[in-house]
Amino acid sequence: MLKNRDKINIYEIEDHFINKYNYKPEVIVQSPGRINIMGEHTDYNEGYVLPAAIDHYMFIAVSKNQCDVVNIYSIDYDESYSLNLKEAVKRGDVSWANLIIGVVKSLLSKIGGIDLAFGGNIPEGAGVSSSAALCCGIAYALSELFNLKLEKWEMVKIAQKSEHEFALVQCGIMDQFACLFGITNHVLLLDCKTLTFQASEIDITGYKFILVNSNVKHNLKDSEYNSRKSESAKALEILKQSNLKVKSYQDVSLSMLDNMRSEMPDMVWKRAYHIVSDNKRVHQITDELKSRNYEKAGELLNEGHFSEKNFYEITCEETDFIVNELNRSKTVLGARQVGGGFGGCVLALVKDVNVNEVIDKAAINYKKVFSLTLDHIPVNISQGCHRIF
Ligand code: GLA
């Protein structure tokens, strides 16, 4: 169980390290979570996404310990884990440790023993990528500590590999990319096929993005995620067979899909429809945000949620309820569930007035219906993973 989660901040990480190991850390890294403004489940489908790093972080403090042991201390769980580098490095049964072991394994030939402490304030299991923040932060910290000079894209790949092989989630590349490449006040439009991106500064004065945590953690989240991946791959196979010009989802248009409806199993068609329409929305919302057309950007968020609910089928009663509740207020321009799905956070674009009133009202109704708490998490778009000491 989380014991310290709310308490860790930039000032306390060093003290926690000293309390645990009785000396000062050599390196401290701050690694952010992310919001995704549009493009859900499109990353592993070679599509487009529009994420941004946020001001909620995982902090990692680390030092060399001159022996062959990796000592890890999770401040949030108040638990320790050790790994002997002379023995085979493999998955264990502690899930938070597995993410770190995966990164250590990738860098095994380049590093020695370390003492490490980490903790943060990114809500866990809330669709804002606390695990990517951890994996990227560990890769970044080890690169600094052992002077490995890893490129950002190398760290992205190492962090993603750890999720694939040690957390057993076949995630795409968006979270790790946003964590490492984030720029303050910029949204990042990533083409997940070419891995090229465009950063756009957005000035949303008078408006803001907020996260509303449903506090729902779906047990089958990881297996459902993996099955969406194979369903969308299957849809692409059918599309490729019927049209030789189709090499990836980027070659598929909505009208092409309309014509194919009767030739594909309904579920598979719906998966494809979500991906192709969300890819389009990524570009549309980027333009609307850049031209400060917030009403339209809000409508696109609502459309995105509708598509997640009805076509990709990754929402749940609770997040659907929150999106509806929020939209009852004129302060809210639009909202949608973010991240892998089946719970977690709803991202809303709101006018920068009386937001608390709106959330409080929604929270009362939410509690009545689901007996769950609804948390409001203010977010600012922040700088990507970097060394702070
Ligand atoms: C998780 C994955 C990402 C992405 C999102 C859904 O956050 O880690 O790669 O697929 O879900 O958009």
Side-chain angles (χ1 to χ4, degrees):
M1 207 181 72
L2 288 178
K3 294 191 178 149
N4 291 319
R5 195 73 181 186
D6 294 332
K7 298 194 194 115
I8 307 306
N9 63 33
I10 196 165
Y11 307 106
E12 288 157 347
I13 180 73
E14 184 177 77
D15 292 346
H16 280 287
F17 185 96
I18 294 170
N19 284 344
K20 178 73 184 170
Y21 299 110
N22 293 316
Y23 69 104
K24 274 186 150 206
E26 285 171 66
V27 168
I28 300 180
V29 162
Q30 167 174 306
S31 189
R34 62 106 189 89
I35 50 173
N36 181 25
I37 293 167
M38 194 63 77
E40 223 59 271
H41 287 252
T42 47
D43 58 353
Y44 56 78
N45 282 308
E46 296 190 322
Y48 299 97
V49 288
L50 190 69
I54 54 172
D55 56 347
H56 290 261
Y57 304 102
M58 194 63 88
F59 298 101
I60 293 134
V62 65
S63 277
K64 296 182 195 121
N65 63 12
Q66 316 303 342
C67 52
D68 292 317
V69 178
V70 168
N71 294 312
I72 314 168
Y73 174 55
S74 161
I75 301 162
D76 299 329
Y77 289 98
D78 192 20
E79 281 173 22
S80 302
Y81 192 95
S82 289
L83 189 75
N84 189 333
L85 294 175
K86 290 269 181 242
E87 291 164 11
V89 174
K90 47 181 197 290
R91 276 187 91 230
D93 46 20
V94 180
S95 50
W96 61 259
N98 277 334
L99 289 167
I100 301 175
I101 300 169
V103 175
V104 166
K105 187 166 185 195
S106 286
L107 297 173
L108 212 50
S109 60
K110 300 175 182 154
I111 63 168
I114 52 171
D115 293 333
L116 186 149
F118 74 97
N121 51 29
I122 307 175
E124 200 179 337
V128 285
S129 296
S130 59
S131 58
L134 177 59
C135 293
C136 293
I138 299 287
Y140 200 105
L142 293 179
S143 179
E144 290 290 313
L145 185 66
F146 291 97
N147 199 21
L148 307 180
K149 299 197 173 12
L150 296 177
E151 299 286 342
K152 284 185 186 176
W153 276 115
E154 283 181 84
M155 293 188 265
V156 166
K157 300 277 172 65
I158 288 169
Q160 187 196 30
K161 190 164 187 256
S162 176
E163 299 253 11
H164 285 183
E165 294 175 5
F166 282 75
L168 307 184
V169 178
Q170 294 305 309
C171 65
I173 203 104
M174 164 173 71
D175 305 345
Q176 298 77 7
F177 159 77
C179 175
L180 282 153
F181 285 87
I183 306 171
T184 307
N185 293 335
H186 285 65
V187 293
L188 312 173
L189 197 165
L190 174 69
D191 178 336
C192 302
K193 187 175 169 202
T194 58
L195 296 187
T196 51
F197 72 96
Q198 200 170 6
S200 306
E201 183 159 20
I202 55 163
D203 169 14
I204 55 171
T205 312
Y207 297 83
K208 60 184 178 183
F209 284 111
I210 59 163
L211 283 171
V212 178
N213 193 350
S214 68
N215 286 308
V216 173
K217 287 172 193 151
H218 198 298
N219 280 343
L220 296 174
K221 187 169 174 262
D222 293 351
S223 59
E224 291 285 347
Y225 184 96
N226 291 341
S227 57
R228 290 303 176 281
K229 190 169 177 178
S230 45
E231 289 156 11
S232 50
K234 183 164 176 211
L236 183 62
E237 271 320 302
I238 300 177
L239 291 161
K240 278 180 179 169
Q241 279 160 19
S242 73
N243 184 336
L244 295 177
K245 286 198 185 126
V246 172
K247 301 270 181 275
S248 82
Y249 271 111
Q250 293 195 19
D251 306 318
V252 183
S253 66
L254 288 174
S255 60
M256 198 185 282
L257 277 176
D258 282 340
N259 295 335
M260 290 283 296
R261 181 145 205 178
S262 57
E263 290 161 52
M264 291 167 82
D266 195 47
M267 182 266 278
V268 172
W269 183 87
K270 286 198 289 192
R271 305 297 185 251
Y273 197 86
H274 167 76
I275 293 153
V276 176
S277 61
D278 235 26
N279 277 341
K280 192 170 169 201
R281 275 187 291 273
V282 167
H283 291 93
Q284 289 173 324
I285 201 166
T286 307
D287 292 343
E288 302 301 356
L289 288 172
K290 278 177 17 190
S291 47
R292 305 185 53 121
N293 196 351
Y294 303 115
E295 298 285 340
K296 189 68 197 149
E299 279 170 30
L300 287 164
L301 288 178
N302 287 334
E303 281 176 25
H305 188 84
F306 182 89
S307 181
E308 287 180 76
K309 175 177 187 288
N310 297 299
F311 297 116
Y312 221 64
E313 297 177 287
I314 49 168
T315 66
C316 58
E317 264 185 281
E318 292 85 347
T319 53
D320 294 342
F321 181 91
I322 294 170
V323 167
N324 282 337
E325 276 295 305
L326 293 177
N327 272 313
R328 283 151 63 117
S329 159
K330 289 214 162 56
T331 305
V332 177
L333 304 180
R336 69 169 197 86
Q337 178 192 271
V338 281
F342 311 102
C345 283
V346 165
L347 175 75
L349 178 60
V350 300
K351 290 182 189 150
D352 198 359
V353 286
N354 304 332
V355 182
N356 285 339
E357 245 173 60
V358 177
I359 309 280
D360 290 350
K361 211 164 157 196
I364 292 169
N365 293 340
Y366 187 63
K367 182 125 208 174
K368 262 192 221 151
V369 179
F370 298 103
S371 305
L372 281 170
T373 311
L374 189 151
D375 294 324
H376 169 204
I377 308 170
V379 287
N380 293 298
I381 295 182
S382 81
Q383 188 189 348
C385 186
H386 63 284
R387 184 171 177 171
I388 51 176
F389 174 76

